[in-house]
Amino acid sequence: MANYASLNVCPTCSKSYKRPEHLRRHQISHGTERPHECMGCGNTFQRSDVLKRHLRTCDNLFDHPAQSTEPSVKRRALSNPQTQPDPTISLLDSYDLPASTDENSIRHGGGAPSFTNIAGWVSCGLSSHDFDVPSDSWQDFLNLGSGVQSPASAMSDERHHDDRSLNFLANFTSETGLVDAFDCGTLEQRRRVATSFQNDVVGSKKHTAVPVPACADSTVAFAGNPTTSDVNEEYNSQAAVLQWLSDPLSLKSHEIITSIKDVVLQQSKNSCVDLSWSNTAEEACLHFFSPMNIRRYIHFYWAIWHPNVNIMHKATFHSASAKPELVAAMSVMGACVSPEPSDREYARRWFNCVEELVFSIDDLCDDSPVSSFCDTGEAQWWRGKLRALQAAYMVCLYQNWEGTHSSKRRIRRYRYSTMVAAARDTLHNARHPNYRQQNLCDFSFKNFAAREELIRVCLWIFLLDTAFVIFNNLPPRMVIREMRMSPAKPEACFQALTAEDCFNSLAQEQQDSALQPVESLDFASAFEMLYRSHVDDDSSTMLAGLGPLNLFAMTSALHSLIFHYQSSFSCQGSLSAIQQGLQNWEMVWNIYVTRFSETPRHSPVTSSMHDLASDDMWRRVGFTRHASEYWLLAKLMVDRLSTSDDEGAEAAAFSNGLVQKPMSLSSIESAGPLLRQYDQTSMQQVNNLISEFQKVCIRSDSKD
């Protein structure tokens, strides 16, 4: 066995330690600097953990409420600067902070004990607890910022934009990261979200006392001669363990870490995991998926990311009772949109591990048919297939926009197909009942949430399919005719935090005479209405009342039809039908913008993005408000294809001797597809096409 004591020896007093971080902490005691000051009594301390113990007994503390956190002083690097650190150890060093409630501790999950110290205690001490219905004593702390908001002013400046603009899509196809491509707010707004979370955590911890071990104030019997550092080290270890055990997310953190460990140690031949498990990797995993980091990342998920892809129901989601695979995927997504660059770097380390973990879920890989929702009468099945689909969708998102080129190809070619197959097994359940026949006593909030989540995740899977068509020129794997499910309900219904508010929102929707037929309408039938030669006013108003998410899916579906058209050798008549659909969709969208876009039903938050409070960020309308750009791109593509078809018809007439005007070879060759390369990982070719279209739009505007 290696003699670790000889590796970490203090050059001043020759005291040895097993771990280098213990040596670094000990060496601070030989200095004279005392940077940590108590604002209550003015005493100074060399270490923040000593100050923390002092704060529990300081008589003058309550006279200075500002002393709720300790000043954070970055530790000096006492190791040899010439030594190149191991990347895993460097990752751990960035987390090497004392257990406290200061800003740095909240950002990096606090001073976490070793995984080997807590694994058995967590599984034994908490496994018997029932987390299906979290207790009221800590539920508010678990779901920070979930209270009812009171939005104020209009946000028409953010919702409306020039219909002749492709600025969003031009940026979308030129950027790769989630934050840069989607509507995640500015850096300042995301920092305000982080600050709001820190303030809420500090406020909650003022009312949470961690039990103090008896060894903190008494003599401890050690083998040999005990020192003050030994007592402090033993106390810190026990206090950290007690803090973790008292956290309601400690069991979830333990489940995630052990699952990832199993994935790494039991890699299959075709596994995408490229990580070797070691003590340092285990510690890094422990810190990234610590209870405080899980809570922080999920807070970022709701406030920053959720409006872009709203597949989760906030009011009925509880981190402590959710599937560990889903919590892990949400944590990675939250870290990817964090205002801290270090969070995004640490998240990339676990991309493939969480992917392998999620796509090995039995509920996702099971081919057995799912029983009908109405047969069970309860929303029990949502913990299986539905949660697995939600987790898989998040993995596909972060890998496709944040992962490597090989990860993007793997998601596009293999993982997405698995997700589509699982979604098809559940499409027959993605329908709402007729709520007109129910009263508040009969209304099940949980069943409504489960149905609506399933409808939305299936809708977003279809949207991801059309995204691959538009941006990667990949043949679609879903067709519009199989989307025989209910349209997504308005945001006021989906964002309601209580059963009463949700039922009232549904009743308000049904009172609108223009929306009477919606209960019996499925999404595919609504899309077929766009193909009519004439859509009357009532039908147009009904389609407009479906809201931006449904309308966004409809205009995206037109791109799949365009792909089929330009990929075929002969498509007589189909282009005119697409043109009719584009014309009708534009009319419906204009009705939505003028009549429904600013109503509380579709836009619960009416504040501008600049004035939007951090607690209201999760309620805003995401990038679906740019649906008109997807329509414009489809229209420009159809116009280009229509011109090519006219030139091709003239060339055919010339070859048959019907016309005398010769056609150029370049005109005849232009009748091919607009995008030549299929299944392209880069979005460069569609970005070039958008740039060409933008020049056309600018020239046409200048002529006008």
Side-chain angles (χ1 to χ4, degrees), residues 107-182:
R107 178 180 298 124
H108 296 297
S114 172
F115 179 71
T116 56
N117 291 338
I118 69 167
W121 293 329
V122 169
S123 59
C124 295
L126 295 180
S127 58
S128 60
H129 289 231
D130 184 8
F131 287 116
D132 290 339
V133 183
S135 62
D136 295 335
S137 61
W138 52 265
Q139 187 55 55
D140 291 337
F141 174 60
L142 185 61
N143 294 307
L144 295 170
S146 61
V148 178
Q149 282 81 17
S150 301
S153 58
M155 58 177 300
S156 58
D157 56 328
E158 291 292 332
R159 187 180 298 106
H160 307 319
H161 58 281
D162 184 8
D163 286 342
R164 301 294 297 178
S165 168
L166 290 172
N167 293 334
F168 171 78
L169 287 178
N171 177 77
F172 189 83
T173 53
S174 61
E175 301 292 346
T176 56
L178 292 169
V179 171
D180 295 327
F182 293 87

Side-chain angles (χ1 to χ4, degrees), residues 665-687:
L665 181 61
S666 60
S667 298
I668 298 176
E669 292 178 347
S670 64
L674 299 179
L675 304 178
R676 303 283 181 172
Q677 184 175 348
Y678 293 91
D679 195 14
Q680 185 187 39
T681 299
S682 170
M683 296 184 286
Q684 186 59 47
Q685 61 175 347
V686 70
N687 181 263

Side-chain angles (χ1 to χ4, degrees), residues 68 227 261 316:
S68 60
T227 64
K261 181 178 180 180
T316 57

Side-chain angles (χ1 to χ4, degrees), residues 9 44 56 86 107 124 140 189 257 259 265 285 289 305 333 387 408 410-411 447 497 533 628 652 699 701:
V9 179
T44 58
R56 296 194 181 102
D86 178 76
R107 178 180 298 124
C124 295
D140 291 337
Q189 289 170 333
I257 296 166
S259 298
L265 294 179
C285 186
F289 291 105
W305 175 252
M333 285 291 298
R387 291 308 193 198
K408 294 178 181 180
R410 184 174 63 253
I411 291 295
N447 285 1
L497 299 176
S533 58
S628 60
R699 286 198 296 268
D701 291 341

Side-chain angles (χ1 to χ4, degrees), residues 300-557:
F300 292 161
Y301 175 92
W302 287 115
I304 301 174
W305 175 252
H306 169 73
N308 288 291
V309 180
N310 44 11
I311 59 176
M312 299 293 299
H313 191 250
K314 187 177 178 68
T316 57
F317 174 79
H318 304 298
S319 305
S321 59
K323 294 176 72 71
E325 298 87 357
L326 177 61
V327 175
M330 292 180 70
S331 299
V332 172
M333 285 291 298
C336 288
V337 297
S338 168
E340 295 295 331
S342 58
D343 286 332
R344 299 193 290 273
E345 282 298 319
Y346 302 147
R348 290 188 179 94
R349 178 182 179 87
W350 308 109
F351 276 5
N352 293 354
C353 294
V354 175
E355 175 191 338
E356 192 76 18
L357 176 65
V358 167
F359 280 91
S360 61
I361 303 177
D362 292 337
D363 294 304
L364 194 65
C365 303
D366 186 12
D367 293 332
S368 60
V370 180
S371 61
S372 177
F373 190 97
C374 59
D375 293 340
T376 62
E378 297 292 337
Q380 298 300 325
W381 59 272
W382 72 323
R383 301 179 185 276
K385 219 56 161 175
L386 174 59
R387 291 308 193 198
L389 281 172
Q390 290 168 326
Y393 195 87
M394 295 174 195
V395 169
C396 290
L397 287 178
Y398 74 66
Q399 286 284 35
N400 193 68
W401 269 272
E402 297 277 353
T404 62
H405 285 289
S406 60
S407 298
K408 294 178 181 180
R409 287 194 299 270
R410 184 174 63 253
I411 291 295
R412 203 168 58 249
R413 297 176 179 178
Y414 307 111
R415 301 301 196 187
Y416 175 70
S417 299
T418 301
M419 188 169 60
V420 169
R424 285 197 174 103
D425 292 338
T426 61
L427 275 173
H428 62 282
N429 284 317
R431 295 191 65 87
H432 283 293
N434 189 349
Y435 294 112
R436 302 174 192 272
Q437 302 174 356
Q438 299 182 8
N439 54 38
L440 182 58
C441 296
D442 299 329
F443 177 70
S444 173
F445 192 34
K446 178 182 287 188
N447 285 1
F448 166 82
R451 288 188 176 98
E452 184 64 17
E453 281 184 314
L454 180 60
I455 290 169
R456 290 182 175 235
V457 74
C458 291
L459 204 58
W460 278 106
I461 290 173
F462 177 75
L463 281 166
L464 183 58
D465 191 71
T466 58
F468 289 148
V469 172
I470 299 170
F471 305 115
N472 305 102
N473 204 28
L474 183 69
R477 277 163 282 188
M478 297 187 72
V479 294
I480 190 65
R481 288 190 179 276
E482 68 179 318
M483 304 294 286
R484 298 292 178 181
M485 61 185 193
S486 299
K489 288 294 182 182
E491 289 304 308
C493 304
F494 191 60
Q495 294 184 8
L497 299 176
T498 64
E500 184 177 2
D501 290 342
C502 181
F503 185 80
N504 291 337
S505 297
L506 290 171
Q508 183 65 33
E509 177 191 16
Q510 296 159 4
Q511 291 175 4
D512 193 332
S513 59
L515 301 177
Q516 293 292 330
V518 170
E519 292 294 341
S520 59
L521 184 70
D522 60 60
F523 180 80
S525 299
F527 180 81
E528 289 175 3
M529 295 175 65
L530 295 176
Y531 267 62
R532 296 178 182 174
S533 58
H534 174 70
V535 182
D536 57 41
D537 294 340
D538 291 341
S539 298
S540 300
T541 304
M542 182 194 66
L543 291 175
L546 294 179
L549 176 56
N550 294 298
L551 295 178
F552 177 51
M554 291 180 187
T555 188
S556 298

